[in-house]
Amino acid sequence: MDLRDNEGYRLLIKALLSLENEQECEALLEDLMTRKEVMDIAQRMLVAKMLSQQTVYNKIVEETGASTATISRVNRSYLYGAGGYKKALSAITEEKK
């Protein structure tokens, strides 16, 4: 089954798109996930950022605490996935300029 056919998934996407600022996003994440789940996703975003900067695995492990398995999964998604990491990181970089 395609995720896009799942009503809960569609609702989640709409909820994320409805948020207007960091505080609203923080509130949804706090309500939606456990602290560990939020931290795991945050770690993956940091790993993706470091991979986009060509950081070697050993340094990523050292700085993030991520396992090499997690880094490999993020790298695979970053390189061959749907482009979400690249799009998000690009948007964040553009926002800082």
Side-chain angles (χ1 to χ4, degrees):
M1 178 168 127
D2 191 326
L3 273 177
R4 291 171 286 215
D5 294 333
N6 180 284
E7 183 180 357
Y9 177 79
R10 297 300 324 150
L11 185 60
L12 174 60
I13 297 300
K14 288 178 182 180
L16 291 170
L17 290 171
S18 75
L19 302 174
E20 295 184 15
N21 56 50
E22 286 185 32
Q23 292 77 21
E24 290 180 6
C25 187
E26 288 171 355
L28 179 61
L29 291 176
E30 183 179 320
D31 289 348
L32 193 61
M33 295 184 274
T34 66
R35 180 175 173 79
K36 178 166 180 4
E37 289 168 332
V38 172
M39 294 309 297
D40 287 347
I41 291 170
Q43 181 186 63
R44 290 179 195 148
M45 286 301 302
L46 183 55
V47 167
K49 178 184 176 192
M50 294 177 80
L51 288 167
S52 75
Q53 298 168 337
Q54 306 296 310
T55 307
V56 297
Y57 274 36
N58 290 346
K59 185 155 180 77
I60 296 172
V61 169
E62 180 182 311
E63 290 190 18
T64 69
S67 69
T68 55
T70 295
I71 297 167
S72 292
R73 281 193 300 274
V74 171
N75 191 46
R76 189 170 38 256
S77 293
Y78 181 80
L79 293 174
Y80 308 111
Y85 281 123
K86 289 178 182 179
K87 176 68 176 172
L89 291 170
S90 175
I92 293 165
T93 302
E94 290 297 317
E95 185 178 286
K96 289 183 179 180
K97 289 183 181 179

PDB file of all heavy atoms in Angstrom, residues 63-85:
ATOM      1  N   GLU A  63      30.594  13.142  16.416  1.00  0.00           N
ATOM      2  CA  GLU A  63      29.870  14.377  16.730  1.00  0.00           C
ATOM      3  C   GLU A  63      28.383  14.172  17.027  1.00  0.00           C
ATOM      4  O   GLU A  63      27.787  14.971  17.740  1.00  0.00           O
ATOM      5  CB  GLU A  63      30.043  15.389  15.606  1.00  0.00           C
ATOM      6  CG  GLU A  63      31.457  15.921  15.540  1.00  0.00           C
ATOM      7  CD  GLU A  63      31.600  17.104  14.607  1.00  0.00           C
ATOM      8  OE1 GLU A  63      30.584  17.753  14.254  1.00  0.00           O
ATOM      9  OE2 GLU A  63      32.752  17.396  14.236  1.00  0.00           O
ATOM     10  N   THR A  64      27.785  13.116  16.471  1.00  0.00           N
ATOM     11  CA  THR A  64      26.331  12.942  16.633  1.00  0.00           C
ATOM     12  C   THR A  64      25.959  11.770  17.528  1.00  0.00           C
ATOM     13  O   THR A  64      24.832  11.719  18.017  1.00  0.00           O
ATOM     14  CB  THR A  64      25.646  12.725  15.277  1.00  0.00           C
ATOM     15  OG1 THR A  64      26.038  11.443  14.747  1.00  0.00           O
ATOM     16  CG2 THR A  64      25.968  13.841  14.297  1.00  0.00           C
ATOM     17  N   GLY A  65      26.873  10.807  17.662  1.00  0.00           N
ATOM     18  CA  GLY A  65      26.545   9.594  18.402  1.00  0.00           C
ATOM     19  C   GLY A  65      25.741   8.599  17.586  1.00  0.00           C
ATOM     20  O   GLY A  65      25.344   7.552  18.086  1.00  0.00           O
ATOM     21  N   ALA A  66      25.497   8.907  16.330  1.00  0.00           N
ATOM     22  CA  ALA A  66      24.747   8.004  15.454  1.00  0.00           C
ATOM     23  C   ALA A  66      25.582   6.765  15.147  1.00  0.00           C
ATOM     24  O   ALA A  66      26.804   6.841  15.032  1.00  0.00           O
ATOM     25  CB  ALA A  66      24.376   8.709  14.148  1.00  0.00           C
ATOM     26  N   SER A  67      24.907   5.651  15.011  1.00  0.00           N
ATOM     27  CA  SER A  67      25.610   4.425  14.627  1.00  0.00           C
ATOM     28  C   SER A  67      25.946   4.487  13.137  1.00  0.00           C
ATOM     29  O   SER A  67      25.325   5.240  12.383  1.00  0.00           O
ATOM     30  CB  SER A  67      24.736   3.206  14.901  1.00  0.00           C
ATOM     31  OG  SER A  67      23.623   3.187  14.012  1.00  0.00           O
ATOM     32  N   THR A  68      26.903   3.669  12.733  1.00  0.00           N
ATOM     33  CA  THR A  68      27.248   3.625  11.309  1.00  0.00           C
ATOM     34  C   THR A  68      26.064   3.096  10.498  1.00  0.00           C
ATOM     35  O   THR A  68      25.886   3.486   9.345  1.00  0.00           O
ATOM     36  CB  THR A  68      28.506   2.784  11.048  1.00  0.00           C
ATOM     37  OG1 THR A  68      28.334   1.477  11.593  1.00  0.00           O
ATOM     38  CG2 THR A  68      29.739   3.440  11.652  1.00  0.00           C
ATOM     39  N   ALA A  69      25.237   2.242  11.088  1.00  0.00           N
ATOM     40  CA  ALA A  69      24.040   1.734  10.392  1.00  0.00           C
ATOM     41  C   ALA A  69      23.061   2.884  10.121  1.00  0.00           C
ATOM     42  O   ALA A  69      22.511   2.991   9.016  1.00  0.00           O
ATOM     43  CB  ALA A  69      23.361   0.647  11.213  1.00  0.00           C
ATOM     44  N   THR A  70      22.868   3.743  11.118  1.00  0.00           N
ATOM     45  CA  THR A  70      21.987   4.901  10.928  1.00  0.00           C
ATOM     46  C   THR A  70      22.556   5.829   9.865  1.00  0.00           C
ATOM     47  O   THR A  70      21.828   6.307   8.990  1.00  0.00           O
ATOM     48  CB  THR A  70      21.784   5.659  12.258  1.00  0.00           C
ATOM     49  OG1 THR A  70      21.083   4.810  13.165  1.00  0.00           O
ATOM     50  CG2 THR A  70      21.009   6.951  12.059  1.00  0.00           C
ATOM     51  N   ILE A  71      23.843   6.072   9.939  1.00  0.00           N
ATOM     52  CA  ILE A  71      24.480   6.949   8.954  1.00  0.00           C
ATOM     53  C   ILE A  71      24.322   6.372   7.555  1.00  0.00           C
ATOM     54  O   ILE A  71      24.008   7.095   6.603  1.00  0.00           O
ATOM     55  CB  ILE A  71      25.967   7.189   9.302  1.00  0.00           C
ATOM     56  CG1 ILE A  71      26.075   7.905  10.650  1.00  0.00           C
ATOM     57  CG2 ILE A  71      26.669   7.989   8.201  1.00  0.00           C
ATOM     58  CD1 ILE A  71      27.473   7.920  11.249  1.00  0.00           C
ATOM     59  N   SER A  72      24.503   5.068   7.414  1.00  0.00           N
ATOM     60  CA  SER A  72      24.345   4.417   6.108  1.00  0.00           C
ATOM     61  C   SER A  72      22.922   4.552   5.586  1.00  0.00           C
ATOM     62  O   SER A  72      22.708   4.817   4.397  1.00  0.00           O
ATOM     63  CB  SER A  72      24.714   2.935   6.192  1.00  0.00           C
ATOM     64  OG  SER A  72      26.083   2.785   6.431  1.00  0.00           O
ATOM     65  N   ARG A  73      21.925   4.368   6.475  1.00  0.00           N
ATOM     66  CA  ARG A  73      20.521   4.496   6.053  1.00  0.00           C
ATOM     67  C   ARG A  73      20.223   5.929   5.612  1.00  0.00           C
ATOM     68  O   ARG A  73      19.566   6.151   4.594  1.00  0.00           O
ATOM     69  CB  ARG A  73      19.577   4.087   7.177  1.00  0.00           C
ATOM     70  CG  ARG A  73      19.421   2.585   7.320  1.00  0.00           C
ATOM     71  CD  ARG A  73      18.260   2.198   8.218  1.00  0.00           C
ATOM     72  NE  ARG A  73      18.366   2.712   9.577  1.00  0.00           N
ATOM     73  CZ  ARG A  73      19.024   2.123  10.566  1.00  0.00           C
ATOM     74  NH1 ARG A  73      19.639   0.971  10.352  1.00  0.00           N
ATOM     75  NH2 ARG A  73      19.049   2.657  11.770  1.00  0.00           N
ATOM     76  N   VAL A  74      20.705   6.890   6.385  1.00  0.00           N
ATOM     77  CA  VAL A  74      20.483   8.293   6.023  1.00  0.00           C
ATOM     78  C   VAL A  74      21.193   8.599   4.714  1.00  0.00           C
ATOM     79  O   VAL A  74      20.628   9.262   3.834  1.00  0.00           O
ATOM     80  CB  VAL A  74      20.950   9.245   7.146  1.00  0.00           C
ATOM     81  CG1 VAL A  74      20.922  10.699   6.679  1.00  0.00           C
ATOM     82  CG2 VAL A  74      20.097   9.069   8.394  1.00  0.00           C
ATOM     83  N   ASN A  75      22.396   8.109   4.548  1.00  0.00           N
ATOM     84  CA  ASN A  75      23.155   8.343   3.320  1.00  0.00           C
ATOM     85  C   ASN A  75      22.434   7.768   2.107  1.00  0.00           C
ATOM     86  O   ASN A  75      22.338   8.423   1.069  1.00  0.00           O
ATOM     87  CB  ASN A  75      24.559   7.760   3.446  1.00  0.00           C
ATOM     88  CG  ASN A  75      25.473   8.203   2.325  1.00  0.00           C
ATOM     89  OD1 ASN A  75      25.517   9.381   1.979  1.00  0.00           O
ATOM     90  ND2 ASN A  75      26.202   7.267   1.754  1.00  0.00           N
ATOM     91  N   ARG A  76      21.909   6.568   2.257  1.00  0.00           N
ATOM     92  CA  ARG A  76      21.168   5.932   1.157  1.00  0.00           C
ATOM     93  C   ARG A  76      19.942   6.780   0.790  1.00  0.00           C
ATOM     94  O   ARG A  76      19.678   7.039  -0.382  1.00  0.00           O
ATOM     95  CB  ARG A  76      20.768   4.509   1.546  1.00  0.00           C
ATOM     96  CG  ARG A  76      20.196   3.689   0.425  1.00  0.00           C
ATOM     97  CD  ARG A  76      20.023   2.208   0.749  1.00  0.00           C
ATOM     98  NE  ARG A  76      19.579   1.910   2.101  1.00  0.00           N
ATOM     99  CZ  ARG A  76      20.351   1.442   3.091  1.00  0.00           C
ATOM    100  NH1 ARG A  76      21.635   1.232   2.880  1.00  0.00           N
ATOM    101  NH2 ARG A  76      19.857   1.194   4.282  1.00  0.00           N
ATOM    102  N   SER A  77      19.215   7.239   1.806  1.00  0.00           N
ATOM    103  CA  SER A  77      18.052   8.094   1.550  1.00  0.00           C
ATOM    104  C   SER A  77      18.474   9.430   0.955  1.00  0.00           C
ATOM    105  O   SER A  77      17.817   9.958   0.045  1.00  0.00           O
ATOM    106  CB  SER A  77      17.262   8.336   2.836  1.00  0.00           C
ATOM    107  OG  SER A  77      16.674   7.154   3.285  1.00  0.00           O
ATOM    108  N   TYR A  78      19.547   9.985   1.475  1.00  0.00           N
ATOM    109  CA  TYR A  78      20.039  11.268   0.984  1.00  0.00           C
ATOM    110  C   TYR A  78      20.415  11.173  -0.499  1.00  0.00           C
ATOM    111  O   TYR A  78      20.071  12.042  -1.296  1.00  0.00           O
ATOM    112  CB  TYR A  78      21.239  11.737   1.805  1.00  0.00           C
ATOM    113  CG  TYR A  78      21.773  13.075   1.370  1.00  0.00           C
ATOM    114  CD1 TYR A  78      21.153  14.250   1.769  1.00  0.00           C
ATOM    115  CD2 TYR A  78      22.880  13.168   0.537  1.00  0.00           C
ATOM    116  CE1 TYR A  78      21.624  15.486   1.349  1.00  0.00           C
ATOM    117  CE2 TYR A  78      23.355  14.389   0.109  1.00  0.00           C
ATOM    118  CZ  TYR A  78      22.725  15.550   0.523  1.00  0.00           C
ATOM    119  OH  TYR A  78      23.189  16.765   0.085  1.00  0.00           O
ATOM    120  N   LEU A  79      21.105  10.099  -0.855  1.00  0.00           N
ATOM    121  CA  LEU A  79      21.582   9.942  -2.235  1.00  0.00           C
ATOM    122  C   LEU A  79      20.519   9.427  -3.204  1.00  0.00           C
ATOM    123  O   LEU A  79      20.456   9.854  -4.350  1.00  0.00           O
ATOM    124  CB  LEU A  79      22.788   8.996  -2.265  1.00  0.00           C
ATOM    125  CG  LEU A  79      24.055   9.504  -1.580  1.00  0.00           C
ATOM    126  CD1 LEU A  79      25.117   8.412  -1.565  1.00  0.00           C
ATOM    127  CD2 LEU A  79      24.572  10.762  -2.264  1.00  0.00           C
ATOM    128  N   TYR A  80      19.689   8.478  -2.739  1.00  0.00           N
ATOM    129  CA  TYR A  80      18.799   7.773  -3.659  1.00  0.00           C
ATOM    130  C   TYR A  80      17.320   7.850  -3.299  1.00  0.00           C
ATOM    131  O   TYR A  80      16.488   7.255  -3.967  1.00  0.00           O
ATOM    132  CB  TYR A  80      19.203   6.289  -3.735  1.00  0.00           C
ATOM    133  CG  TYR A  80      20.659   6.098  -4.032  1.00  0.00           C
ATOM    134  CD1 TYR A  80      21.526   5.584  -3.069  1.00  0.00           C
ATOM    135  CD2 TYR A  80      21.201   6.452  -5.272  1.00  0.00           C
ATOM    136  CE1 TYR A  80      22.882   5.410  -3.333  1.00  0.00           C
ATOM    137  CE2 TYR A  80      22.550   6.291  -5.535  1.00  0.00           C
ATOM    138  CZ  TYR A  80      23.375   5.762  -4.562  1.00  0.00           C
ATOM    139  OH  TYR A  80      24.714   5.603  -4.826  1.00  0.00           O
ATOM    140  N   GLY A  81      17.001   8.593  -2.258  1.00  0.00           N
ATOM    141  CA  GLY A  81      15.616   8.665  -1.795  1.00  0.00           C
ATOM    142  C   GLY A  81      14.783   9.643  -2.605  1.00  0.00           C
ATOM    143  O   GLY A  81      15.111  10.005  -3.741  1.00  0.00           O
ATOM    144  N   ALA A  82      13.727  10.098  -1.990  1.00  0.00           N
ATOM    145  CA  ALA A  82      12.755  10.970  -2.660  1.00  0.00           C
ATOM    146  C   ALA A  82      13.214  12.427  -2.754  1.00  0.00           C
ATOM    147  O   ALA A  82      12.541  13.245  -3.365  1.00  0.00           O
ATOM    148  CB  ALA A  82      11.421  10.900  -1.917  1.00  0.00           C
ATOM    149  N   GLY A  83      14.343  12.742  -2.152  1.00  0.00           N
ATOM    150  CA  GLY A  83      14.874  14.099  -2.234  1.00  0.00           C
ATOM    151  C   GLY A  83      14.472  14.997  -1.073  1.00  0.00           C
ATOM    152  O   GLY A  83      14.761  16.194  -1.079  1.00  0.00           O
ATOM    153  N   GLY A  84      13.818  14.430  -0.074  1.00  0.00           N
ATOM    154  CA  GLY A  84      13.352  15.219   1.059  1.00  0.00           C
ATOM    155  C   GLY A  84      14.463  15.861   1.863  1.00  0.00           C
ATOM    156  O   GLY A  84      14.374  17.040   2.229  1.00  0.00           O
ATOM    157  N   TYR A  85      15.493  15.088   2.157  1.00  0.00           N
ATOM    158  CA  TYR A  85      16.620  15.657   2.910  1.00  0.00           C
ATOM    159  C   TYR A  85      17.239  16.823   2.140  1.00  0.00           C
ATOM    160  O   TYR A  85      17.483  17.894   2.692  1.00  0.00           O
ATOM    161  CB  TYR A  85      17.717  14.612   3.151  1.00  0.00           C
ATOM    162  CG  TYR A  85      17.469  13.643   4.274  1.00  0.00           C
ATOM    163  CD1 TYR A  85      17.475  12.279   4.036  1.00  0.00           C
ATOM    164  CD2 TYR A  85      17.262  14.078   5.581  1.00  0.00           C
ATOM    165  CE1 TYR A  85      17.279  11.363   5.064  1.00  0.00           C
ATOM    166  CE2 TYR A  85      17.065  13.180   6.612  1.00  0.00           C
ATOM    167  CZ  TYR A  85      17.075  11.819   6.350  1.00  0.00           C
ATOM    168  OH  TYR A  85      16.888  10.928   7.375  1.00  0.00           O
TER     169      TYR A  85
END
